[in-house]
Amino acid sequence: MVHAFDPGYIAEPFVTLCKQYPDSLVYPLTQFRVEWGPIFHRGRLDGSARILVIGQDPAQHETVVRRILVGEAGRRVQGLLAKLGVTRSYVFINAFLYSVYGSVRAKTRQNPELIDYRNQWIDALVSGGQIEAVIALGRAADEAWKFWKQTSFGADTNIAYAAITHPTQPESSSKRGKVKLAAATKKMLQNWNVALQSLAPEVKHPDLLTPLILYGDSWNDGDRTAIPEFDFPAGLPGWMHEQDSWAKRSGADDLSKRRNITITVPKGVLI
Ligand code: URA
């Protein structure tokens, strides 16, 4: 069996960006899990991306896999891109390089070093002139795009843009209450439908020509799409990119939870 994989950071300016990234002087340890290192992106870095997605911050699965949006949130967004016919020509970055611990202070979010480094990624991804749409997931991502638009390159660039509800906002806003979750999911899918309708005409070079099928009031079959193997580093076992919940922060207190991520091979893989 042949396995496709993402070769990673092999060309400039990404090689240099991955050599020189901000550390805990810019991302304070009290607000970010800097101890696990930065996680930069997922998707095409070869200039072929047509859609740039800006997420928020990586979680434990991303920490292990070293690519972003690889869990449930990623599958939801992958489905959104598929509705636009984009199955390969996309690239994701996050507003933050490290996983948020607690909350992020305004002073940190507005730190020029943090913004400048992220802007260099956006410059690099947009400069090829191929990106036809940008999607921001949640508030921090929207702010990231707006900061970039304040640069001279950003101000001179005209790309279709949609700031949408973060894909796991329904869960985080409903604390597992089923009725609340259903209402929040419906609201989010309506919000995503508005974005789909505004972006679809702007995506002129999709990977597949597909009629735009909007979301209903809840998740339907096919709305969440598997993340392709070619988005992951070489040699990753199938269950890491096909399944969820195999990595958990574990420990009796906050400090141990910061220090430990337990990885469990899912049932069914061995027996
Ligand atoms: N994982 C990420 O990397 N970013 C998000 O916004 C959500 C999950």
Side-chain angles (χ1 to χ4, degrees), residues 190-211:
Q190 286 169 347
N191 169 273
W192 285 21
N193 279 341
V194 173
L196 279 174
Q197 285 164 298
S198 78
L199 295 182
E202 309 298 332
V203 181
K204 310 258 189 248
H205 299 87
D207 300 303
L208 295 172
L209 278 175
T210 168

Side-chain angles (χ1 to χ4, degrees), residues 162-176:
I164 66 173
T165 306
H166 191 278
T168 52
Q169 186 275 344
E171 281 76 8
S172 44
S173 67
S174 60
K175 301 268 184 295
R176 293 174 200 276

Side-chain angles (χ1 to χ4, degrees), residues 56 101 118 254:
Q56 183 170 294
Y101 182 70
R118 187 177 56 216
D254 285 351

Side-chain angles (χ1 to χ4, degrees), residues 142-260:
D142 185 33
E143 186 180 76
W145 180 249
K146 287 182 174 146
F147 276 129
W148 182 76
K149 286 293 287 174
Q150 287 170 23
T151 64
S152 55
F153 183 22
D156 285 347
T157 307
N158 198 10
I159 304 179
Y161 174 65
I164 66 173
T165 306
H166 191 278
T168 52
Q169 186 275 344
E171 281 76 8
S172 44
S173 67
S174 60
K175 301 268 184 295
R176 293 174 200 276
K178 273 194 182 167
V179 176
K180 264 190 157 184
L181 177 61
T185 302
K186 178 177 172 182
K187 200 169 165 202
M188 181 186 79
L189 296 177
Q190 286 169 347
N191 169 273
W192 285 21
N193 279 341
V194 173
L196 279 174
Q197 285 164 298
S198 78
L199 295 182
E202 309 298 332
V203 181
K204 310 258 189 248
H205 299 87
D207 300 303
L208 295 172
L209 278 175
T210 168
L212 178 58
I213 300 171
L214 297 177
Y215 292 99
D217 290 344
S218 59
W219 296 111
N220 279 324
D221 286 351
D223 284 347
R224 294 123 115 182
T225 310
I227 299 167
E229 193 174 29
F230 56 68
D231 276 9
F232 294 88
L236 210 76
W239 54 267
M240 278 199 180
H241 53 89
E242 287 154 10
Q243 301 200 30
D244 235 345
S245 304
W246 46 263
K248 292 206 164 38
R249 297 196 196 281
S250 53
D253 51 48
D254 285 351
L255 181 60
S256 343
K257 280 195 183 138
R258 270 190 88 144
R259 297 177 65 203
N260 292 285

Side-chain angles (χ1 to χ4, degrees), residues 55-59 62 68-69 73 94 137 166:
Q56 183 170 294
D57 68 306
E62 284 82 8
I68 67 164
L69 281 142
N94 274 329
L137 312 177
H166 191 278

